[in-house]
């Protein structure tokens, strides 16, 4: 089957000679199989894959086909007066893919608002809402290595598309049988036909004004901002301009940027894996810190929707915080500050994902605020904001996920590292002026709520065999899992694919009121838990672990035991 697709591409008049040359010079049969054994999957996250020729790769042909399917869907849904916003990041081919998508949409009579230069993903979400578009596209592979790129689709609310949208778009994509069905006009023709518009500075300015308005202690920040010393790295991505501009306009004068990582560069020369979840990306910032001694270090990923934070501990050493730790710090700071100013809404809501720390639930209870769990993926947090807005009975306050994504405010419907960096600076400044570091504030929370510790173990399983192994692991856990892990009883099993939560102690079950997803969660008698979830965008299966201890050392010891027991099951799955 893959050979037929390979030959079709080699002989198609729609594949340019450069592309055919690349295909003809593949000498490894396994490489040909990997490129053509399937189509690059279009899911709720859109497309993501390695750049190159082939049906299982990111290229102008797969992007064109996906956009043709999106065009068909939008025309069926909205009939007329359709517009789409498009943004792109610093990655290799991002601009070309954005222009390919724009030219296809315009060829279908759909108006396009295209950012002239690279912009963060959250600013695309904002532009969709502000320009009243029916959809949005951002070309990015987020924090993946340089050989990847991706294509994410947003709905008219500014949130990532729902499962229903994705399925209908996929159906339209799958109906395209030949490259000749993919429409295309030139950029010049699109502009001449008044179908292509370049997004101007006014969108940037209005977005940054709204970000600045999220500051809770406005007068405090205005008076003390220059006392905070910050090192920031954009990791060669899109965050450099909006993050620095926002902080500068708020009065933060001592923001030092890692020069080697300042300029956009899709090759990521100083960070092969440009993910702020990886402590190694901060090595240059930590070198700078020896002289500057900042109060805080933070970095944004290439499309500036994730934020990683580094703080000084009680000994003056710098520590990289986890996404869960930053999330609980922000949750507590926002809720306590709103309460202090009598602005905490009675119907307030905190939203987190099912793999994110339960410590947030403890904090929410302390402030008598409700907390909602959603499936993994920030789009589900965005869906909740839309739901609250439409029903009018709840007020969104803050949402976060363990993978370094945070959002306050409702003018963006995806995780936003520009907003997060602003709030982290305010929070750090607040504690500094009280004579306390952010790390000390975290320890105070642990002493109050318990020493929570979480860990993520991603296991990369590439290609067809890797995909089969992932299916084997999930089948084994779903059908053959024992009721004891080590010497700790498993008290609950949550199967999000079957939408069933089983109470293994009282032998009862209830429905899970969330969309179906191939995820399993096991909760133990001591309140520790683990989740196993195949990634929707990468050839990986992800293992999430959580424990609660009486001290940092106790929680580490518990984590060591839990990790060993879970990984033994994963390794032996057959």
């Amino acid at each position: 089957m893959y050979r037929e697709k390979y030959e079709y591409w080699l002989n198609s008049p729609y594949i340019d000679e450069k592309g055919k040359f690349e295909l003809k010079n593949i000498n490894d049969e396994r490489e040909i199989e990997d490129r053509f054994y399937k189509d690059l999957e279009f899911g709720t996250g859109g497309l993501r894959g390695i750049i190159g020729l082939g049906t299982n790769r990111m290229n102008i042909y797969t992007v064109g086909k996906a956009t043709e399917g999106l065009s068909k869907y939008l025309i069926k849904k909205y009939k007329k007066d359709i517009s789409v916003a498009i943004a792109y990041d610093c990655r290799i081919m991002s601009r070309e893919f954005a222009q390919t998508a724009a030219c296809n949409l315009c060829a279908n009579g759909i108006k396009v608002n295209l950012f002239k230069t690279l912009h963060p993903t959250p600013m695309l979400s904002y532009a969709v809402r502000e320009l009243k578009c029916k959809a949005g596209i951002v070309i990015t592979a987020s924090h993946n290595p340089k050989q990847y790129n991706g294509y994410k689709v947003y709905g008219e609310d500014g949130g990532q598309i729902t499962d229903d949208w994705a399925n209908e778009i996929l159906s339209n994509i799958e109906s395209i049988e030949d490259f000749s069905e993919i429409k295309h006009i030139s950029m010049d023709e699109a502009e001449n036909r008044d179908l292509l518009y370049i997004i101007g500075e006014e969108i940037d300015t209005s977005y940054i004004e709204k970000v600045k308005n999220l500051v809770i202690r406005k007068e405090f920040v205005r008076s003390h901002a220059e006392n905070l010393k910050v090192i920031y790295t954009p990791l060669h991505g899109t965050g450099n301009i909006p993050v620095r501009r926002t902080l500068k306009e708020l009065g933060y004068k001592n923001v030092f940027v890692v020069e080697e990582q300042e300029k956009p560069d899709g090759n990521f020369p100083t960070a092969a894996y440009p993910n702020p979840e990886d402590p190694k990306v901060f090595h240059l910032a930590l070198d700078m810190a020896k002289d500057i001694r900042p109060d805080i270090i933070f970095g944004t990923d290439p499309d500036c929707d994730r934020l990683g934070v580094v703080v000084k501990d009680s000994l003056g050493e710098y520590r990289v915080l986890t996404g869960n730790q930053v999330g609980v710090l922000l949750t507590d700071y926002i809720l306590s500050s709103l309460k202090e100013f009598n602005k905490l809404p009675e119907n307030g809501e905190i939203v987190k994902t099912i793999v994110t720390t339960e410590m947030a639930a403890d904090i929410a209870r302390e402030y008598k605020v409700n907390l909602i769990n959603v499936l993994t993926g920030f789009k589900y947090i965005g869906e909740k904001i839309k739901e609250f807005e439409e029903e009018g009975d709840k007020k969104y306050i803050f949402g976060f996920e363990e993978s370094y994504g945070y959002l306050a405010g409702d003018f963006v419907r995806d995780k936003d590292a520009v907003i997060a960096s602003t709030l982290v600076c305010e929070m750090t400044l607040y504690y500094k002026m009280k004579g306390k570091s952010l790390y000390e504030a975290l320890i105070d929370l642990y002493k109050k709520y318990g020493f929570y510790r979480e860990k993520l173990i991603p296991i990369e399983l590439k290609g067809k065999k890797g995909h089969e192994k992932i299916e084997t692991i999930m089948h084994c856990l779903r059908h053959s899992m024992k009721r004891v892990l080590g010497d700790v009883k498993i008290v609950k099993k949550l199967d999000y694919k079957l939408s069933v939560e089983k109470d293994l102690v009282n032998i009862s079950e209830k429905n899970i009121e969330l969309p179906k997803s191939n995820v399993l969660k096991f909760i133990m008698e001591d309140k520790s838990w683990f989740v196993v979830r195949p990634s929707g965008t990468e050839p990986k299966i992800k293992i999430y672990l959580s424990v609660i201890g009486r001290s940092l050392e106790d929680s580490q010891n518990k984590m060591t035991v839990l990790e060993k027991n879970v990984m033994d099951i994963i390794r032996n799955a057959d």
Side-chain angles (χ1 to χ4, degrees), residues 30 43 62 76 128 166 217 286 295 316 336 343 352 376 408 425 430 439 449 461 469 523 541-542 555:
R30 287 174 299 180
T62 51
K76 286 177 187 174
V128 169
R217 301 174 185 273
L286 290 169
D295 300 298
S336 63
K343 291 183 178 180
K352 74 173 188 67
T376 310
C425 280
Y430 171 76
Y439 181 79
Y449 298 108
L461 295 163
K469 178 63 177 176
I523 301 174
I541 189 165
K542 296 184 176 182
S555 62

Side-chain angles (χ1 to χ4, degrees), residues 73-172:
Y73 171 74
L74 292 172
I75 291 166
K76 286 177 187 174
K77 183 176 177 66
Y78 296 109
K79 306 295 189 292
K80 59 181 182 178
D81 298 326
I82 307 167
S83 63
V84 174
I86 301 178
Y88 57 93
D89 71 1
C90 60
R91 287 182 174 271
I92 296 165
M93 296 293 291
S94 280
R95 185 181 181 88
E96 289 86 345
F97 293 157
Q99 291 178 350
T100 295
C103 291
N104 174 271
L105 290 162
C106 292
N108 280 284
I110 296 170
K111 292 182 178 179
V112 170
N113 297 283
L114 176 66
F115 278 103
K116 186 176 182 179
T117 58
L118 50 84
H119 274 72
T121 289
M123 291 184 75
L124 180 278
S125 172
Y126 175 73
V128 169
R129 295 175 56 78
E130 193 71 5
L131 297 172
K132 296 180 171 55
C133 296
K134 299 301 184 188
I137 298 168
V138 61
I139 306 297
T140 178
S142 188
H143 55 282
N144 285 82
K146 66 179 181 180
Q147 59 266 37
Y148 284 82
N149 212 327
Y151 175 108
K152 291 171 70 174
V153 181
Y154 288 73
E156 60 183 316
D157 67 323
Q160 292 181 47
I161 55 171
T162 62
D163 296 335
D164 290 341
W165 261 58
N167 290 333
E168 290 196 45
I169 294 168
L170 177 59
S171 177
N172 282 285

Side-chain angles (χ1 to χ4, degrees), residues 406-420:
Y406 322 95
L407 179 68
D410 59 6
F411 55 91
V412 169
R413 298 296 166 87
D414 205 349
K415 52 187 176 285
D416 189 330
V418 183
I419 290 173

Side-chain angles (χ1 to χ4, degrees), residues 440-456:
E440 289 166 333
L442 177 64
I443 296 300
D444 286 347
L445 291 179
Y446 282 150
K447 288 176 179 176
K448 184 172 184 178
Y449 298 108
F451 286 80
Y452 282 77
R453 183 179 289 268
E454 296 81 22
K455 186 171 184 177
L456 167 62

